[in-house]
Amino acid sequence: MRTPQHTTATDGEFRALMSSFPSGVAVLTSVGPDGAPVGLTCSSLCSVSVDPPVLLACVRSASPTLEAILAYGGFAVNLLHEDARATSELFSSGAPDRFDRVLWRSAEDSGLPHLVDQAHTVADCEIHRCETVGDHMVVFGGVRRVRPLTSAPPRPLVYGLRRYTGWPPR
């Protein structure tokens, strides 16, 4: 039996690896302690379970948005459509006025902010559990409600190889 090596990939090697694995783009939103909306761009999102419906999102541990998500007990996953690159960049910039620059509304039942013009679908989640891994927290969200925002088939925004693209047509 071969003994595994105990070296660690460099930051550059790891970033190159992950940039070659394209992902959809989402904006996670929640509500801060002052009642104001908060949010960040997230491409570290995946399904965990269908029964019950659970997904996970990985968020930088030092993020003020993560702090708000944990305090509120839930978050919305806004899956961005192919024309929402500017929104992805805005919510990854940390600009304090980001919610003043996009159309959003608060969901009646959850109170979570939905990006109504920039997302093709929104899922409202409540925190199922959390686990710290390195400099990020893995937040498991129990999906309570899914809202398609368009009747057309979704055309998601995709990020990989350090660039954005839309999902290719059939």
Side-chain angles (χ1 to χ4, degrees):
M1 179 184 267
R2 210 176 134 154
T3 305
Q5 293 180 326
H6 294 285
T7 60
T8 302
T10 66
D11 288 356
E13 290 169 334
F14 184 69
R15 288 177 191 269
L17 169 72
M18 295 314 298
S19 76
S20 69
F21 185 70
S23 177
V25 183
V27 170
L28 303 184
T29 57
S30 193
V31 179
D34 60 355
V38 297
L40 56 76
T41 299
C42 178
S43 60
S44 297
L45 178 75
C46 72
S47 64
V48 175
S49 170
V50 172
D51 186 17
V54 176
L55 55 76
L56 68 77
C58 300
V59 182
R60 186 176 51 86
S61 295
S63 167
T65 297
L66 174 62
E67 186 178 334
I69 287 171
L70 297 175
Y72 194 75
F75 57 98
V77 176
N78 296 265
L79 300 180
L80 300 185
H81 60 66
E82 66 183 348
D83 296 324
R85 174 183 177 167
T87 299
S88 173
E89 292 171 341
L90 175 64
F91 278 82
S92 65
S93 74
D97 66 340
R98 57 190 146 212
F99 280 93
D100 295 333
R101 296 164 57 185
V102 297
L103 181 61
W104 67 276
R105 75 171 155 255
S106 183
E108 288 183 27
D109 52 348
S110 68
L112 293 166
H114 290 184
L115 304 182
V116 295
D117 279 348
Q118 303 302 313
H120 61 78
T121 307
V122 179
D124 290 337
C125 303
E126 71 180 16
I127 295 175
H128 185 66
R129 73 176 233 219
C130 299
E131 185 173 331
T132 300
V133 179
D135 60 357
H136 277 62
M137 181 168 285
V138 182
V139 181
F140 294 84
V143 179
R144 299 297 168 233
R145 184 163 186 167
V146 175
R147 292 178 175 92
L149 298 180
T150 177
S151 58
R155 297 290 306 265
L157 182 64
V158 178
Y159 185 77
L161 298 173
R162 294 183 174 86
R163 67 178 190 255
Y164 291 93
T165 190
W167 192 260
R170 294 184 198 246

